[in-house]
Amino acid sequence: MNSANMQSSSFLSHFWQYLLAFILIASVTAVFFTLRNILDTTLIALLYLVPLGIITALWGLGPGITSALITFLTLNYFFIEPHYTFVVHRPADIVILAVFLMVAVVISQLMGRAQAGLAAATAREREATRLYELSTALTGLNHDQAIAQILAKQIHAVAESECVELTGTGAHSFAYRLPETSKPTRPPELIVPIQAARGVLGEIRLWRAAPAISSSERQLFQTFASQGALALERAWLAQAESRARVLEESDQLKSALLSSVSHELRTPLSTIKAAASSLREKEVSWDSPARDDLIAAIDDEADHLNMLVGNLLDMSRIESGALKPKREWNILSEIVGGVLARMKNLSTTHQLEFDVPESLPLVPVDYVQMEQVFTNLISNSLKYAPTDTVVCIRARVEAESVHVQVSNQGPQVPSEHLERIFDKFYRVTAADRVTGTGLGLSICKGIIEAHGGRIWAENVPDGLAFNFTVPLTWDGASPPQFSIEPE
Amino acid sequence: MSNAPHILVIDDEPQILRAMRTILTEKQFRVTVANRGEEGLALAAANEPDLIILDLGLPDLDGVEVCTRLREWTQIPIIVLSVRDSERDKVAALDRGADDYLTKPFGIEELLARVRVALRHSARTQGTQSKVVKAGPLTIDLAWHTVKRGEEDVKLTGTEYKLLAYLAANHGRVLTHQGILTRVWGEADADHTEYLRVYIRQLRKKLEADPERPQYILTEPGIGYRFIADE
């Protein structure tokens, strides 16, 4: 239907070209006719070359030659004596006519050829542009399906086809069709294999009944196919490389983990071992105050060990994607309150500012995981901030989220490290000074992201602030609001 | 010595059994141990202990299953032991009739406190229940439905009182979200933890000195709530 339209429109434009050429010649002739007595026949013949040139330049060889012949006849009929006949008496007029015809035809041909050359150059340029567009669109794509989509779209646009379908074979499982809804029942007019060095990766099927697919188009689509093949090949290599990199990284991670873990676990174990064995050896008398210290050390270090193991478990759960928040509508201040109640040392070493408004809506979070986030952020603040400084916990509603800030008056972090402090095993300061696996903040990140939120750190005028947001909506539902019954 | 409460410990780890036996015997309890679920069930039926301490991670039987089977015939208090991050199992065991839980590793004073509460509670359900619960300045009279803070009457809504009364009557024990919701709001609202959160906040505001750091109505993360009364 489309191509039928196109054909008729091109026919129409041809018709118009001839008609316009004819009208031009006719009007020029009319002008010359009125000036017939002033102008010399030779001059008129010469002047006729101007519209001829214009016609050929504008509309090509066909209208050009036709106009040349018409002009030849007009010249003879209207301007060469005897007028209004095609008879020629003077030999000089015969020469004029002959020369005119020759020159007119030659001009037409020359101009026409130049124009055809120009058209071919334009077509080549357009083809090059399309290829360029295709290869630009394909750069950086790493998924077969995305590549197939781009390729199909480009071919569909260039070919003005009824339907284009791309299917993959073997390891390449892409399938894409344009338009997506339906495809013709007849076999495709053109099938181009997507051929790469590794073999055939798939094929392109194209439906276009009319106009028939020309050999230059066929060639163009083959070029498209090989561009597609290159892109698929590149994507395949990139995937293979990233798999290799992930493996290598997880290997590195494991060794980092092992070395960090064995160091961290051994420290409390050494303390416990030393304390327990000295108590056993009765080196320390039963009523000595040292005995209480040793027992307290065993107790504290056992807690410390327990926390380390917990962190490792959390991390492995986050890494394996097994950390699924069990969401419930919770009251943020209850969660923070529980954490603070458990951090008994907090009030003796630091001052606390607690600014969580009563009006804060319920937040859809996992209570236990959120406790973990607050525990880690607060204990991180306590670890780095000097004693007697202020640790501040603040929460506000912002747009569709709740924004929580835990800030301290500890040392600032160079801005280039601010992102990386949430990485596993990442420490800004020398590792020996502060204990811990370096997992606390990355666990926070894992939990917050599992809740669909965002976490970041920033330097504030007098210290460092951890920020995070969690969405207030849960499966599209806003926080429930209900009024307490009257007393 | 024969009057001493008899405790059955079911756990598959020998070190834990050894430590529990030593500590509990030291505290004047009689102790029997089992390292398999089936063995534990058999010993419970044969000895009728006063309390069972049950590890949820047994090799032969699911701890929750052991709970269910014990509750088919006895109301002996059960304290379940489990590792961190197994809130789901703990809640399941509590909802199937376990009385309390402890997360490994635990301090011995914690264990003894739980044991005392569980034994006292079972004595209470068998004998006459005390009608007045005291917690610091709070006096909750379950017979007269009155709540006092010092000398002052505390005004509570119907639901608030129902909630507080349930918590106070079970003071010392952990109560699960679902258990409380079913009891106070009814089966249909058993999943609406947000009701509970909001009402607990209301109660704390009326009863606690510092509602953000409660002393009497404690949150058990991921499990439920516990009311702490005077001993």
Side-chain angles (χ1 to χ4, degrees):
Chain A
M1 168 95 167
N2 262 341
S3 46
N5 261 342
M6 243 179 54
Q7 264 193 323
S8 73
S9 79
S10 94
F11 170 76
L12 209 68
S13 75
H14 277 298
F15 173 76
W16 276 109
Q17 284 173 3
Y18 282 94
L19 188 69
L20 284 172
F22 185 76
I23 291 171
L24 187 62
I25 297 293
S27 42
V28 169
T29 307
V31 172
F32 289 166
F33 189 74
T34 55
L35 302 172
R36 188 163 59 164
N37 298 328
I38 313 166
L39 297 174
D40 183 40
T41 318
T42 337
L43 188 59
I44 290 176
L46 199 60
L47 286 176
Y48 259 126
L49 293 176
V50 177
L52 280 183
I54 294 173
I55 288 168
T56 323
L58 286 180
W59 300 309
L61 194 57
I65 296 275
T66 317
S67 307
L69 288 173
I70 294 172
T71 319
F72 169 72
L73 294 175
T74 331
L75 190 64
N76 188 353
Y77 192 79
F78 289 108
F79 299 101
I80 289 181
E81 288 178 9
H83 294 160
Y84 313 122
T85 64
F86 290 111
V87 183
V88 183
H89 286 308
R90 287 193 297 167
D93 288 342
I94 297 178
V95 174
I96 290 175
L97 277 176
V99 169
F100 175 80
L101 186 61
M102 232 165 61
V103 171
V105 170
V106 167
I107 285 181
S108 293
Q109 267 185 336
L110 282 178
M111 295 286 285
R113 214 176 289 160
Q115 252 229 313
L118 186 67
T122 315
R124 271 199 302 277
E125 189 194 309
R126 218 167 32 226
E127 204 169 288
T129 313
R130 279 163 190 167
L131 268 176
Y132 172 73
E133 278 169 8
L134 177 69
S135 59
T136 325
L138 288 175
T139 355
L141 290 184
N142 279 336
H143 292 284
D144 292 359
Q145 187 67 21
I147 293 171
Q149 269 184 29
I150 295 288
L151 199 55
K153 272 181 196 153
Q154 293 277 337
I155 293 175
H156 190 60
V158 169
E160 293 175 325
S161 57
E162 290 160 61
C163 181
V164 176
E165 188 179 58
L166 269 77
T167 45
T169 49
H172 296 269
S173 58
F174 58 88
Y176 190 70
R177 187 167 66 215
L178 258 180
E180 284 173 52
T181 42
S182 62
K183 69 170 176 182
T185 43
R186 63 174 198 278
E189 269 72 40
L190 180 68
I191 297 180
V192 184
I194 304 174
Q195 177 84 42
R198 279 183 297 130
V200 176
L201 309 181
E203 62 181 23
I204 302 169
R205 283 189 283 275
L206 188 100
W207 284 265
R208 192 182 78 186
I213 292 156
S214 70
S215 70
S216 68
E217 278 183 307
R218 194 180 293 266
Q219 223 161 31
L220 178 66
F221 296 139
Q222 263 155 10
T223 320
F224 271 37
S226 50
Q227 286 283 331
L230 278 177
L232 288 169
E233 196 92 302
R234 199 171 49 224
W236 186 72
L237 286 174
Q239 281 164 16
E241 194 204 357
S242 87
R243 269 195 300 273
R245 205 173 42 232
V246 166
L247 277 180
E248 194 187 326
E249 270 175 14
S250 82
D251 229 36
Q252 281 173 1
L253 183 67
K254 259 179 215 144
S255 16
L257 183 91
L258 278 178
S259 75
S260 165
V261 164
S262 44
H263 172 78
E264 286 303 326
L265 293 185
R266 219 170 261 148
T267 315
L269 276 177
S270 316
T271 314
I272 293 172
K273 176 76 185 163
S277 54
S278 64
L279 285 171
R280 194 175 188 184
E281 289 300 318
K282 304 203 171 58
E283 283 166 3
V284 187
S285 68
W286 277 104
D287 45 358
S288 145
R291 186 176 170 273
D292 288 339
D293 285 350
L294 289 173
I295 292 171
I298 294 176
D299 202 25
D300 291 348
E301 290 305 292
D303 286 344
H304 183 193
L305 263 182
N306 187 33
M307 187 204 78
L308 290 177
V309 174
N311 274 350
L312 288 172
L313 276 175
D314 283 339
M315 202 63 234
S316 73
R317 212 166 286 158
I318 290 168
E319 295 274 289
S320 66
L323 186 100
K324 300 239 160 51
K326 184 175 165 284
R327 284 197 187 138
E328 274 168 355
W329 293 108
N330 275 297
I331 297 174
L332 205 64
S333 59
E334 185 181 359
I335 301 179
V336 185
V339 170
L340 295 177
R342 222 155 320 126
M343 294 185 148
K344 290 168 194 115
N345 292 335
L346 173 61
S347 52
T348 60
T349 57
H350 292 75
Q351 294 171 47
L352 188 84
E353 255 178 58
F354 184 72
D355 178 14
V356 180
E358 173 93 347
S359 58
L360 206 71
L362 297 171
V363 285
V365 292
D366 182 311
Y367 191 103
V368 180
Q369 289 177 12
M370 231 42 204
E371 257 198 333
Q372 181 80 35
V373 170
F374 280 107
T375 309
N376 290 359
L377 293 183
I378 296 170
S379 57
N380 192 289
S381 294
L382 298 183
K383 208 148 63 176
Y384 291 96
T387 37
D388 286 331
T389 55
V390 177
V391 173
C392 180
I393 301 163
R394 207 175 284 135
R396 292 284 180 274
V397 172
E398 270 172 24
E400 292 285 280
S401 312
V402 58
H403 175 188
V404 179
Q405 189 181 59
V406 178
S407 58
N408 62 61
Q409 297 179 323
Q412 297 196 329
V413 169
S415 55
E416 67 268 23
H417 292 260
L418 280 174
E419 268 274 322
R420 297 196 57 200
I421 58 175
F422 294 100
D423 289 355
K424 286 180 289 279
F425 309 119
Y426 194 77
R427 276 208 189 83
V428 182
T429 47
D432 296 341
R433 266 191 45 215
V434 178
T435 56
T437 44
L439 286 175
L441 292 181
S442 55
I443 289 171
C444 291
K445 187 170 188 241
I447 292 174
I448 293 297
E449 285 175 356
H451 279 82
R454 199 166 79 78
I455 188 165
W456 71 100
E458 62 180 335
N459 287 315
V460 286
D462 55 348
L464 182 69
F466 298 107
N467 295 278
F468 68 82
T469 59
V470 281
L472 276 171
T473 48
W474 174 20
D475 286 344
S478 300
Q481 285 178 330
F482 39 90
S483 49
I484 301 288
E485 74 213 298
E487 280 163 24
Chain B
M1 187 73 187
S2 60
N3 284 344
H6 182 185
I7 298 178
L8 169 63
V9 184
I10 312 175
D11 196 318
D12 62 315
E13 286 163 63
Q15 302 92 315
I16 297 273
L17 287 180
R18 182 174 123 192
M20 295 279 249
R21 189 199 285 275
T22 313
I23 294 158
L24 292 172
T25 311
E26 177 77 13
K27 293 285 171 185
Q28 311 300 320
F29 291 105
R30 282 182 294 148
V31 180
T32 309
V33 299
N35 52 24
R36 288 286 182 277
E38 293 289 357
E39 185 191 357
L41 284 170
L43 282 173
N47 299 356
E48 296 211 17
D50 299 297
L51 177 87
I52 296 172
I53 296 176
L54 168 68
D55 183 46
L56 285 182
L58 294 173
D60 61 333
L61 266 183
D62 183 15
V64 179
E65 168 75 17
V66 176
C67 257
T68 316
R69 281 169 62 178
L70 280 169
R71 279 294 171 259
E72 283 166 10
W73 61 273
T74 176
Q75 287 303 314
I76 303 173
I78 305 171
I79 297 175
V80 293
L81 306 180
S82 74
V83 289
R84 196 180 74 111
D85 296 325
S86 51
E87 273 74 23
R88 200 181 298 261
D89 294 345
K90 287 176 218 165
V91 169
L94 290 167
D95 283 337
R96 302 286 167 77
D99 290 72
D100 218 323
Y101 75 96
L102 270 172
T103 303
K104 285 180 178 177
F106 47 84
I108 215 65
E109 63 282 11
E110 245 186 309
L111 170 70
L112 292 172
R114 297 281 188 276
V115 167
R116 269 197 304 274
V117 167
L119 288 175
R120 194 179 52 215
H121 185 78
S122 92
R124 224 168 32 220
T125 44
Q126 279 161 21
T128 50
Q129 202 166 340
S130 91
K131 296 289 184 204
V132 177
V133 180
K134 281 180 180 287
L138 304 174
T139 312
I140 301 152
D141 191 319
L142 298 172
W144 288 95
H145 291 207
T146 58
V147 179
K148 278 188 178 177
R149 189 171 166 185
E151 290 305 309
E152 233 176 292
D153 275 334
V154 182
K155 284 215 168 84
L156 298 180
T157 68
T159 311
E160 282 169 1
Y161 176 77
K162 228 169 142 187
L163 174 59
L164 177 65
Y166 183 52
L167 288 170
N170 292 284
H171 65 89
R173 296 176 69 208
V174 63
L175 301 171
T176 62
H177 293 141
Q178 209 166 5
I180 303 173
L181 282 162
T182 311
R183 188 65 175 255
V184 178
W185 277 269
E187 286 283 356
D189 289 319
D191 290 328
H192 288 279
T193 10
E194 67 269 18
Y195 293 178
L196 194 49
R197 299 280 181 213
V198 170
Y199 274 88
I200 290 284
R201 176 166 70 180
Q202 290 300 112
L203 275 181
R204 281 177 177 159
K205 267 194 282 184
K206 292 183 180 178
L207 303 176
E208 301 274 1
D210 178 358
E212 306 298 352
R213 301 196 204 181
Q215 283 176 283
Y216 306 113
I217 304 173
L218 303 189
T219 305
E220 293 286 332
I223 310 274
Y225 290 95
R226 190 194 297 274
F227 189 87
I228 301 297
D230 299 343
E231 288 285 322

